[in-house]
Amino acid sequence: MLFANGTFKVDLTPQQDAACPAGRMLINKIYLGDIQGQGSGQMISKRLDNGVAVYYAIEEFLGSVKGKNGGFTLVHQGYMSKDSQSLEISILEGSGNGELQAISGTMRIIQDANGHSYELSFKL
């Protein structure tokens, strides 16, 4: 297993879907550190008055991982309640291209007072 970490900046742009009970946002990220490049995609989310929330997103990454150029698709699945939360982000199997064609793995996102950071565990 290989590891990559660093930071990212994210811009979420809400989209207006008045007829839909879920929210939708466009995702634009800039990755810095062991991963260099851009992520873009869409997120669908739902938040209830009792604090329960869920989101799913598909993000397309293009750039480099530890100096290897290419791209891949990240699949996000998140859940939150007043008692627990979970977030799973995985590389979609078979989505790699370029020098990252055989990539597989998972990503962890850390959010704190300093912003957003990531830890990617992967195989090539």
Side-chain angles (χ1 to χ4, degrees), residues 55-119:
Y55 94 92
Y56 295 93
I58 297 174
E59 177 186 348
E60 300 297 331
F61 171 78
L62 184 59
S64 65
V65 177
K66 295 239 172 176
K68 304 270 187 196
N69 295 315
F72 51 84
T73 302
L74 290 166
V75 179
H76 300 237
Q77 300 177 60
Y79 172 81
M80 180 177 68
S81 72
K82 66 179 182 178
D83 299 320
S84 67
Q85 63 182 18
S86 67
L87 176 58
E88 295 179 17
I89 304 170
S90 58
I91 296 172
L92 180 63
E93 186 175 333
S95 69
N97 60 63
E99 294 177 298
L100 302 173
Q101 183 172 359
I103 195 166
S104 64
T106 59
M107 180 179 279
R108 186 174 152 225
I109 290 177
I110 301 101
Q111 184 176 355
D112 58 26
N114 297 319
H116 295 90
S117 59
Y118 65 84
E119 296 174 352

Side-chain angles (χ1 to χ4, degrees), residues 7-9 28-40 59-65 69-70 118:
T7 61
F8 67 91
K9 296 177 183 179
N28 287 294
K29 290 183 181 176
I30 301 295
Y31 286 92
L32 304 168
D34 293 335
I35 297 177
Q36 298 277 323
Q38 183 173 349
S40 61
E59 177 186 348
E60 300 297 331
F61 171 78
L62 184 59
S64 65
V65 177
N69 295 315
Y118 65 84

Side-chain angles (χ1 to χ4, degrees), residues 45-54 79-84:
S45 63
K46 176 74 176 186
R47 182 179 300 270
L48 303 176
D49 290 339
N50 63 6
V52 172
V54 63
Y79 172 81
M80 180 177 68
S81 72
K82 66 179 182 178
D83 299 320
S84 67

